Amino acid sequence: MRIARFSTGDGVGFGVVEGGPGEEFISGVSGHPFGPIQFTGERHSLSQVRLLAPMLPSKVVAIGKNYAEHAREMGGEVPGEPLMFIKPSTSVIGPAEAVAYPTGLSERVDFEGELAVVIGRLCREVPVERAHEVIFGYTCANDVTARDLQKKDVQFTRAKGFDTFCPLGPWIQTELDPADLGITTTVNGEVKQSSRTSKLMYDIPTLIAHVSAVMTLIPGDVILTGTPEGVGPLQVGDEVSVAIEGIGTLSNRVVSRD
């Protein structure tokens, strides 16, 4: 099931995306979609609505260097345990929204295409073997990073935390095996990253157990699972897209923040 958050101009709601490519429509649901789905009878063509970030998480917990080749391209090895950092909720934007390049503050802003896990229930200290019970679904993410500031600051808060630096979407796929999905990032149509989630060094149950041992996760929270090799710079005017097999494509254009 594909769960989307959308705006009609008259309001914002959640819905189930149905239909095939080019013929998709959204069937509205009442309230939040974490419990039993109740349809409202509202129905819109996908072309008639604006897709928003599929969730507004209280926090986005990201994992660094979780693909061996990416760790090496960053000048290191895979950490001995998952490397966690947090992106603020204010960094989240949806599909087709603009990534604002912080001109004057950074001279190198990179894309990082990633599979994102959406949490579906309140949880803490989740055992690996029960991690599947707290997953609501999966979506595409772009962990946009001011690379020069990351190197300068050592820790990641400023480099990862700018407004608009966490595009999510286009929707949440709730019925998906994430073990071996193709993930591709393109910039202006040119492939920059191409890998598979089977290359994750720490799998999703391990990540959920690791994160939830530290902090309580609530419905709508997002875990970014790491980016494969091939990260690179973005420029104002670029269009960057993250496509994940079985989910869809998240596209955003880069604009100057000034």
Side-chain angles (χ1 to χ4, degrees), residues 5 23 37 41 46 55 100 129 158 166 197 214:
R5 182 169 161 266
E23 298 180 348
I37 295 292
L46 197 61
M55 286 293 166
E129 62 272 15
R158 181 165 63 144
C166 189
T197 57
V214 177

Side-chain angles (χ1 to χ4, degrees), residues 2 15 34 59 63 66 78 90 93 98 116 121 135 137 169 196 198 208 214-215 230 254-255 258:
R2 294 174 290 175
F34 297 113
K59 54 189 171 291
I63 306 298
N66 201 21
V78 175
T90 48
I93 59 173
R121 55 181 282 193
I135 297 172
R196 303 196 69 82
S198 55
I208 290 174
V214 177
M215 64 191 76
V254 182
V255 302
D258 294 343

Side-chain angles (χ1 to χ4, degrees), residues 73-242:
E73 78 176 348
M74 298 303 293
E77 297 297 324
V78 175
E81 59 182 0
L83 172 64
M84 288 193 300
F85 58 92
I86 286 183
K87 294 173 80 78
S89 59
T90 48
S91 67
V92 172
I93 59 173
E97 293 190 70
V99 172
Y101 197 115
T103 307
L105 294 175
S106 174
E107 296 180 355
R108 170 72 184 259
V109 172
D110 282 12
F111 56 83
E112 294 190 6
E114 308 198 12
L115 173 68
V117 182
V118 181
I119 298 299
R121 55 181 282 193
L122 183 73
C123 61
R124 65 188 295 267
E125 297 181 352
V126 181
V128 168
E129 62 272 15
R130 297 189 62 184
H132 66 280
E133 297 177 16
V134 306
I135 297 172
F136 180 67
Y138 305 90
T139 192
C140 306
N142 190 346
D143 177 20
V144 182
T145 304
R147 191 71 68 199
D148 52 346
L149 299 183
Q150 183 182 20
K151 292 178 180 179
K152 179 181 179 181
D153 294 350
V154 182
Q155 52 81 27
F156 298 171
T157 303
R158 181 165 63 144
K160 303 281 192 174
F162 282 98
D163 290 354
T164 76
F165 269 28
C166 189
L168 297 174
W171 41 62
I172 299 167
Q173 175 59 260
T174 64
E175 299 168 357
L176 186 70
D177 181 353
D180 186 28
L181 303 175
I183 178 169
T184 303
T185 305
T186 61
V187 178
N188 302 325
E190 181 180 351
V191 174
K192 299 294 186 178
Q193 294 179 287
S194 180
S195 190
R196 303 196 69 82
T197 57
S198 55
K199 295 184 178 182
L200 285 169
M201 301 305 298
Y202 297 106
D203 64 14
I204 289 168
T206 299
L207 297 181
I208 290 174
H210 186 76
V211 173
S212 68
V214 177
M215 64 191 76
T216 298
L217 297 170
I218 67 175
D221 280 352
V222 170
I223 297 176
L224 305 187
T225 58
T227 194
E229 72 276 9
V231 300
L234 293 167
Q235 305 296 333
V236 173
D238 284 346
E239 182 173 66
V240 56
S241 298
V242 179

Side-chain angles (χ1 to χ4, degrees), residues 14-28:
F14 287 95
V16 175
V17 181
E18 303 179 85
E23 298 180 348
E24 293 103 334
F25 61 91
I26 291 183
S27 297

Side-chain angles (χ1 to χ4, degrees), residues 3-5 12-15 28-40 53-57 119-120 136 172 219-220:
I3 302 292
R5 182 169 161 266
V12 173
F14 287 95
V29 301
S30 60
H32 283 275
F34 297 113
I37 295 292
Q38 294 185 327
F39 290 98
T40 63
M55 286 293 166
L56 294 178
I119 298 299
F136 180 67
I172 299 167

